[in-house]
């Protein structure tokens, strides 16, 4: 698959301006560094903005090192598979809970993305050549949580999952069973994919778990993050080239410990504080985006969030899992909104 990246060129700045810019850029890029550390790292003087660094080479090296450290932090690729191929398409509603010091911002819609599931080519080595794959960049950071709701062609909710974004580009794969609308189970498997080849890198952590959606009506849907696969027919989620489904699910630390732990807990799929574009069926409020089945589709999350700001940004913040944990008395009213064009 091809993936074209477009950019724009800018006129060169005077050397003293570039020195100041690099000092500021290093502070922003090296998110875990203090301003003092970043400035020292670039070896520039803050006493006089017209003091230049020793050479253009030093500037170039500084920028390259900073980019190498975390240029792809929080980015991820998303693929969706169904071994039995009973679905032609699935819509993935992708939203973001941005991490703050002790909370998450409430969900913000990135978009609804239609994936083509049929038409995969099984290669000689048993692996599948994917027809549809999306990559998400910009406006994403390590520790943010991405939320993914899956819908069939009849706009029935057939799955839900969440993932912690990682310190480098991540490969996220969701696997559906043969009858997802009846089963409601999704297998989530992901990890760091630094070279962006679509595969989890060797000698890195792999997170592998199951979630199950239940509920008698659209607005009352809820999801449980399972601790094991004991109640799951794991053969429906086995794909050549991917690890064997685990007996005990593997989650990131924040999913198992602390205020935002979700393992063995049941949460609302459509909580009452969510924006209208997140609770409405696909196509009702915002247009569904077709993911290319020939190239890797790349989307800038920050731009899409801004595009859908009027209908896709939920108010408030999430202070703990209890904020959206399912309670039998909880009732969620479906919101309506004006359809917003892509």
């Amino acid at each position: 698959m091809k993936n074209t990246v477009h950019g724009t060129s800018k006129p060169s700045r005077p050397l003293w301006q570039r020195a100041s810019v690099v000092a500021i850029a290093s502070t922003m890029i090296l998110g875990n560094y203090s301003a003092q550390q970043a400035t020292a790292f670039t070896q520039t003087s803050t006493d006089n903005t017209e003091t230049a660094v020793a050479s253009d080479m030093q500037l170039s090296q500084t920028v390259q090192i900073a980019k190498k450290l975390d240029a792809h932090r929080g980015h991820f690729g998303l693929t969706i598979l169904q071994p039995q191929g009973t679905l032609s398409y699935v819509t993935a509603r992708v939203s973001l809970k941005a991490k703050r010091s002790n909370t998450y911002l409430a969900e913000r819609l990135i978009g609804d993305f239609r994936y083509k599931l049929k038409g995969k080519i099984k290669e000689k080595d048993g692996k599948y050549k994917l027809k549809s794959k999306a990559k998400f960049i910009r406006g994403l950071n390590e520790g943010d949580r991405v939320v993914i709701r899956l819908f069939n062609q009849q706009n029935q909710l057939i799955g839900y999952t969440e993932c912690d974004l990682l310190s480098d580009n991540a490969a996220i794969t969701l696997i559906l069973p043969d009858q997802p609308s009846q089963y409601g189970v999704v297998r989530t498997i992901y990890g760091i994919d630094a070279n962006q080849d679509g595969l989890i890198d060797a000698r890195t952590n792999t997170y592998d778990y199951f979630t199950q959606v239940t509920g008698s009506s659209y607005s009352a849907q809820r999801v449980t993050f399972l601790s094991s696969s004991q109640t799951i027919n794991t053969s429906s989620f086995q794909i050549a080239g991917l690890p064997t489904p685990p007996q005990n699910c593997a989650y990131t630390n924040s999913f198992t410990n602390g205020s935002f732990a979700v393992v063995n807990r049941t949460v609302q799929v459509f909580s009452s504080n969510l924006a209208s574009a997140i609770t409405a069926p696909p196509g009702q409020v915002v247009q569904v985006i077709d993911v290319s089945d020939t190239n890797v589709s790349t989307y800038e999350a920050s731009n899409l969030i801004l595009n859908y700001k009027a209908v896709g940004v939920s108010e408030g913040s999430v202070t703990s899992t209890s904020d959206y944990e399912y309670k039998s008395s909880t009732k969620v009213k479906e919101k309506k909104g004006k359809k917003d064009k892509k």
Side-chain angles (χ1 to χ4, degrees), residues 6-311:
H6 301 279
T8 57
S9 60
K10 296 183 179 180
S12 177
R13 297 172 181 264
L15 185 58
W16 67 270
Q17 287 185 351
R18 279 180 279 157
S20 299
V21 168
V22 171
I24 296 170
S26 297
T27 303
M28 296 175 66
I29 295 173
L30 304 174
N32 294 327
Y33 282 56
S34 67
Q36 292 83 1
Q37 288 173 311
T39 303
F41 178 73
T42 59
Q43 298 180 9
T44 60
S45 172
T46 57
D47 296 331
N48 188 339
T49 57
E50 294 187 7
T51 300
V53 292
S55 66
D56 278 334
M57 182 178 295
Q58 187 180 38
L59 277 173
S60 177
Q61 289 174 343
T62 296
V63 173
Q64 292 304 317
I65 291 171
K67 285 183 177 180
K68 185 177 179 180
L69 282 173
D70 54 10
H72 304 294
R73 179 178 61 185
H75 294 183
F76 66 95
L78 176 63
T79 58
I80 303 173
L81 301 174
Q82 188 195 33
Q84 291 77 13
T86 59
L87 292 175
S88 297
Y89 295 90
V90 67
T91 298
R93 171 166 295 161
V94 182
S95 58
L96 182 72
K97 292 192 286 191
K99 185 74 171 69
R100 295 298 181 259
S101 57
N102 297 311
T103 63
Y104 289 92
L105 294 182
E107 284 184 55
R108 297 177 292 168
L109 180 70
I110 295 176
D112 288 350
F113 302 89
R114 183 184 292 115
Y115 280 73
K116 183 177 181 180
L117 295 186
K118 286 188 176 180
K120 299 185 296 295
I121 301 173
K122 192 172 183 179
E123 299 175 328
K124 291 181 179 180
D125 60 2
K127 297 181 180 180
Y128 284 86
K129 181 179 179 181
L130 307 180
K131 300 295 289 184
S132 294
K133 179 182 177 180
K135 180 180 176 182
F136 297 87
I137 63 174
R138 301 206 171 104
L140 306 165
N141 289 289
E142 178 184 3
D144 290 350
R145 282 193 186 180
V146 62
V147 181
I148 305 167
R149 297 171 175 84
L150 300 176
F151 300 84
N152 64 15
Q153 290 173 267
Q154 291 73 45
N155 285 343
Q156 292 177 296
L157 182 78
I158 57 174
Y160 176 105
T161 192
E162 297 185 19
C163 303
D164 272 338
L165 297 185
L166 305 177
S167 59
D168 206 331
N169 183 73
I172 301 175
T173 300
L174 307 183
I175 304 175
L176 293 167
D178 57 346
Q179 297 297 329
S181 60
Q182 297 177 18
Y183 206 19
V185 174
V186 174
R187 180 188 178 192
T188 302
I189 177 170
Y190 76 105
I192 287 179
D193 173 24
N195 62 359
Q196 301 183 49
D197 63 355
L199 302 174
I200 297 172
D201 294 346
R203 295 179 294 280
T204 62
N205 292 328
T206 296
Y207 307 104
D208 197 344
Y209 50 91
F210 292 90
T211 51
Q212 184 165 26
V213 168
T214 54
S216 57
S217 65
Y218 181 89
S219 60
Q221 301 278 3
R222 51 197 182 271
V223 61
T224 303
F225 290 78
L226 305 178
S227 60
S228 74
S229 61
Q230 292 180 358
T231 61
I232 305 298
N233 177 12
T234 57
S235 63
S236 298
F237 299 90
Q238 178 64 63
I239 289 184
L242 291 178
T244 301
Q247 181 176 353
N248 295 311
C249 297
Y251 291 89
T252 55
N253 184 62
S254 75
F255 274 53
T256 58
N257 300 292
S259 300
F260 301 97
V262 291
V263 179
N264 281 331
R265 299 177 75 170
T266 300
V267 300
Q268 300 172 63
V269 173
F270 301 109
S271 56
S272 58
N273 71 317
L274 293 177
S276 61
I278 297 177
T279 59
Q284 181 174 304
V285 178
V286 301
Q287 292 182 340
V288 177
I289 302 169
D290 286 310
V291 177
S292 173
D293 62 355
T294 56
N295 301 320
V296 177
S297 300
T298 301
Y299 303 101
E300 294 187 4
S302 55
N303 284 345
L304 289 171
I305 289 171
L306 286 175
N307 288 346
Y308 300 135
K309 183 177 180 180
V311 294

